[in-house]
Each structure stands twice: as structure tokens, then as C-alpha cells.
Amino acid sequence: MMDGKRVVIVMPAYNAGRTLERTHAEVLAHGFVDRVIVVDDASRDDTVERARSLPRTSVHVHAVNRGYGANQKTCYGLALDDGADVVVMVHPDYQYTPKLLPALVAPIVWDVHDCMLGSRILGGRALHGGMPAYKYVANRALTLAENLLIGAKLSEYHTGYRAFSREVLLSLPLADNSDDFVFDNQMLAEIVWRGFRVGEVTCPTKYFAEASSINFGRSLRYGFGCLRTGLAFRLASWGLGSGARYPRPRPDHR
């Protein structure tokens, strides 16, 4: 625990056998981590076998591949069932360093922020870390568009390194969100809508052979999905849409 708060790390895994143990070791190096939950999305390698050998770790396996968003839905549900006060998503492919966990967890534990993001853009070294140029340009363009549509000032909406308070996760209509990659984007829009406090810390970027990445076609679909998310938010703010994702009246946790 950190200051009496139960901290649970969730790892949405898919073919992460080569990097899982290294990531896990750096996670547990932090004494405040209470539990690691690995959710495997029907990997074709030895991810599950390796995960089941790790200490302080629960393993859940999807019988069929359900998608990145669906994997996160399972992750967060299991973490809440485990009694987590703070939940951090750490990708087991080691693209995001677990060494930054204290910087993500502490602001939530001490009630400074409700959600923390590890930003690859802050610090200005994303390209030096190996981010492909086309992804960097797309990241910046989408972030600009979404900041305008959503009215936030985030450095990026697309990081996979995220920490949430229990209250945030219980407040979001996660089941209504996509089972694909745009799930991340929808979560952030819903968090901003509800007035939760979002903080960012700079996170070094790592791109290498074992790190997961989506191809150009899926990246394109993700980009259009992000724009649809921002547009839906803007329309809801004008009173032209509501529902579970953007309820009326608009909550305010600030």
C-alpha cells in the first residue's frame, strides 16, 4: 500500500512472453504494489505460462481474442473486485517503464489528481525514443483536434500508461465503450466530461522489436475513432447528445 491505499497493477497482455517477466520485476520492485493482475487476450505464445509463475499475480485468460478495449474492461473489473483504491495499467511489453509508477500513483493517493497519464510527448524526446515519424505527426494532430473539441489541454490522448482512482473507474460506463484501441480515447473523454482532475508526467518512449504496435490500417481507423469521440463530446456539450457516456447534468468533481 501507499499511505493506506491499495495499489493494483493491471497488465493487458497479448503475446508478451518475451518481456512480461522483466516488466513484472520492475513493477514489484516498488514496495507499495499490492497485486498484479494479468489478463491474457488469447496469446499464441507462452505469456500465460510465464504469468502464472510470477509472485503476487492473478492471471485471467480470455478464451478468444476480444480486443484491447475488452481486455481493459476485464482488467479494471478484476482490480475493483480486488479492492483496489488506485489502479495502474502497465503494458507488459516494456514500452512504458515501471520505474515511473511512484510518480503516477502518489498524486492519486494524496488526492492531487484523479487520473494520471505517462506522456510520451512531454519532454520532447518521443522521436529520439524511436516513435515513427508518421505516428508522432498523427499523435500531435489528433491531440490538437481533440483538445479543441473536448476543451482540455493534454499533451497527448494516446498513451497506454495510465493510473486511475477507484472513484474514476466506478463512475465510467466502461461496458459501453469500444472493445478496440479507441477505448483509451473514449475513457479520457468521459473522464474530462465528469470533471475529474487529470495530471501528466513525462515518460520516455521505447520502440523495439518486442514492443507492441498496430499497423497503418488499424492506426487509421483509430484516428477516425478519436475524431468521432471528440465530436461526440462537443455535440453533447452543446446539448445535442447525452446518454451514459455523457450524462446530463454534467458532473463536476473539481
Side-chain angles (χ1 to χ4, degrees), residues 80-108:
L80 292 172
D81 289 345
D82 190 67
D85 296 301
V86 180
V87 181
V88 188
M89 178 172 68
V90 177
H91 287 187
D93 64 358
Y94 202 70
Q95 188 174 17
Y96 301 96
T97 174
K99 294 177 181 178
L100 285 176
L101 280 172
L104 292 173
V105 173
I108 298 176

Side-chain angles (χ1 to χ4, degrees), residues 113 115-119 122 153-156 198-202:
H113 293 297
C115 169
M116 288 293 298
L117 307 176
S119 171
L122 286 176
K153 295 182 180 180
L154 299 178
S155 67
E156 74 158 320
V198 182
E200 296 180 279
V201 297
T202 182

Side-chain angles (χ1 to χ4, degrees), residues 161-183:
Y161 203 6
R162 299 160 174 237
F164 310 97
S165 71
R166 181 180 186 87
E167 182 187 6
V168 166
L169 293 178
L170 288 173
S171 299
L172 302 183
L174 299 181
D176 294 339
N177 291 346
S178 170
D179 286 342
D180 208 345
F181 288 96
V182 77
F183 175 91

Side-chain angles (χ1 to χ4, degrees), residues 3-252:
D3 197 31
K5 302 293 186 181
R6 183 169 178 81
V7 179
V8 174
I9 308 300
V10 297
M11 295 186 179
Y14 180 67
N15 294 337
R18 288 179 291 180
T19 54
L20 174 62
E21 289 162 321
R22 179 183 181 186
T23 307
H24 186 277
E26 289 196 10
V27 165
L28 285 194
H30 301 290
F32 57 79
V33 173
D34 294 280
R35 171 67 58 181
V36 177
I37 297 174
V38 176
V39 177
D40 181 80
D41 203 26
S43 292
R44 298 188 301 269
D45 66 358
D46 60 350
T47 297
V48 174
E49 290 76 12
R50 290 178 181 270
R52 285 175 172 161
S53 70
L54 299 173
R56 301 216 310 267
T57 301
S58 301
V59 182
H60 183 92
V61 181
H62 287 172
V64 296
N65 186 274
R66 293 167 52 188
Y68 175 62
N71 193 319
Q72 285 190 66
K73 292 175 187 180
T74 302
C75 283
Y76 299 137
L78 292 171
L80 292 172
D81 289 345
D82 190 67
D85 296 301
V86 180
V87 181
V88 188
M89 178 172 68
V90 177
H91 287 187
D93 64 358
Y94 202 70
Q95 188 174 17
Y96 301 96
T97 174
K99 294 177 181 178
L100 285 176
L101 280 172
L104 292 173
V105 173
I108 298 176
V109 167
W110 295 329
D111 196 32
V112 176
H113 293 297
D114 306 297
C115 169
M116 288 293 298
L117 307 176
S119 171
R120 299 165 295 178
I121 302 303
L122 286 176
R125 297 190 59 82
L127 292 173
H128 293 280
M131 180 182 283
Y134 82 90
K135 288 194 174 185
Y136 179 81
V137 172
N139 186 310
R140 304 308 299 130
L142 283 172
T143 295
L144 174 61
E146 288 185 280
N147 275 333
L148 291 172
L149 289 168
I150 292 174
K153 295 182 180 180
L154 299 178
S155 67
E156 74 158 320
Y157 287 75
H158 319 293
T159 175
Y161 203 6
R162 299 160 174 237
F164 310 97
S165 71
R166 181 180 186 87
E167 182 187 6
V168 166
L169 293 178
L170 288 173
S171 299
L172 302 183
L174 299 181
D176 294 339
N177 291 346
S178 170
D179 286 342
D180 208 345
F181 288 96
V182 77
F183 175 91
D184 274 351
N185 210 252
Q186 293 168 335
M187 275 192 80
L188 276 183
E190 292 158 4
I191 287 169
V192 173
W193 180 269
R194 286 158 175 78
F196 287 112
R197 301 160 297 175
V198 182
E200 296 180 279
V201 297
T202 182
C203 177
T205 306
K206 294 182 180 179
Y207 284 83
F208 49 94
E210 290 84 4
S212 62
S213 183
I214 60 176
N215 59 35
F216 180 78
R218 296 194 75 179
S219 296
L220 194 62
R221 290 196 297 274
Y222 170 77
F224 282 115
C226 292
L227 293 175
R228 285 193 296 270
T229 298
L231 181 59
F233 185 104
R234 175 53 55 188
L235 290 174
S237 71
W238 289 339
L240 300 177
S242 58
R245 294 179 60 193
Y246 306 116
R248 292 279 181 190
R250 190 170 175 180
D252 188 355

